[in-house]
Amino acid sequence: MGIRRGRESGAAVRACGRSRERVGDVTPTRLSTEALDFLRQYITTAEQLDVLMTVAHRPSQDWNAVEVSNAIFSVPQSVELRFEELVDRQLIQRLSGSLRVRLAILPPAKQLALAEIHTAYKRSRAGIVNLIFQERADPVAKNFEDAFKYKP
């Protein structure tokens, strides 16, 4: 049996609570301002998003880097780096004296934004990832690109 590229296994999809992806389902107009602000402020990479969504899917569960890396098809060392970033941003918390993490207790506004993002992520991970990268687009490159657009 060969490796199927471009598809996620059913176990990984279920680990994050996602259905099969439909690219384009998520647009900035379909997310609230608060959810978009949350993404802008706290999420800079697709892997950070995957880690946070995996942990947020089961907020009372404790996770270690190996469990999350298996769920998102990454390596534990990379997930551990994302844990540190998300701990610094106070989105997840380390359990005392442990390598395990869980979702941090968030203020209600952040909880709502995270819940909205999680729902959109389940619909279309690619759509949320596209939003992250659209927000991070280099304004100089965008202006340069716009300069060469045909304007009748």
Side-chain angles (χ1 to χ4, degrees):
M1 183 167 101
I3 296 174
R4 291 178 12 192
R5 298 194 185 273
R7 292 262 167 155
E8 299 170 315
S9 76
V13 168
R14 286 187 300 278
C16 303
R18 298 198 310 248
S19 60
R20 294 284 179 200
E21 295 185 26
R22 292 183 305 261
V23 177
D25 267 2
V26 178
T27 61
T29 57
R30 291 190 183 197
L31 287 178
S32 69
T33 303
E34 293 79 14
L36 290 170
D37 289 345
F38 184 99
L39 288 172
R40 281 184 204 108
Q41 186 173 359
Y42 296 109
I43 306 299
T44 56
T45 69
E47 189 175 46
Q48 275 181 346
L49 176 70
D50 291 338
V51 168
L52 182 60
M53 293 298 104
T54 300
V55 172
H57 182 62
R58 294 193 183 106
S60 61
Q61 180 175 333
D62 302 341
W63 297 86
N64 66 30
V66 172
E67 293 164 341
V68 173
S69 68
N70 288 337
I72 67 169
F73 298 107
S74 187
V75 294
Q77 297 84 353
S78 183
V79 168
E80 190 58 47
L81 291 172
R82 301 310 145 229
F83 280 175
E84 290 305 318
E85 294 165 354
L86 295 170
V87 166
D88 289 345
R89 293 174 181 147
Q90 301 177 341
L91 297 174
I92 64 173
Q93 61 187 20
R94 286 238 181 240
L95 302 180
S96 60
S98 173
L99 296 177
R100 301 184 76 76
V101 300
R102 73 166 40 168
L103 190 65
I105 297 171
L106 301 172
K110 280 187 189 175
Q111 286 178 7
L112 288 173
L114 183 59
E116 183 180 348
I117 293 164
H118 190 263
T119 299
Y121 180 86
K122 288 190 295 184
R123 250 190 351 259
S124 175
R125 174 191 178 271
I128 296 291
V129 170
N130 285 337
L131 286 176
I132 292 168
F133 289 112
Q134 285 172 2
E135 292 298 322
R136 303 281 181 259
D138 180 1
V140 173
K142 180 71 174 136
N143 288 339
F144 184 76
E145 176 186 319
D146 288 345
F148 289 94
K149 286 187 179 175
Y150 176 71
K151 297 171 189 160

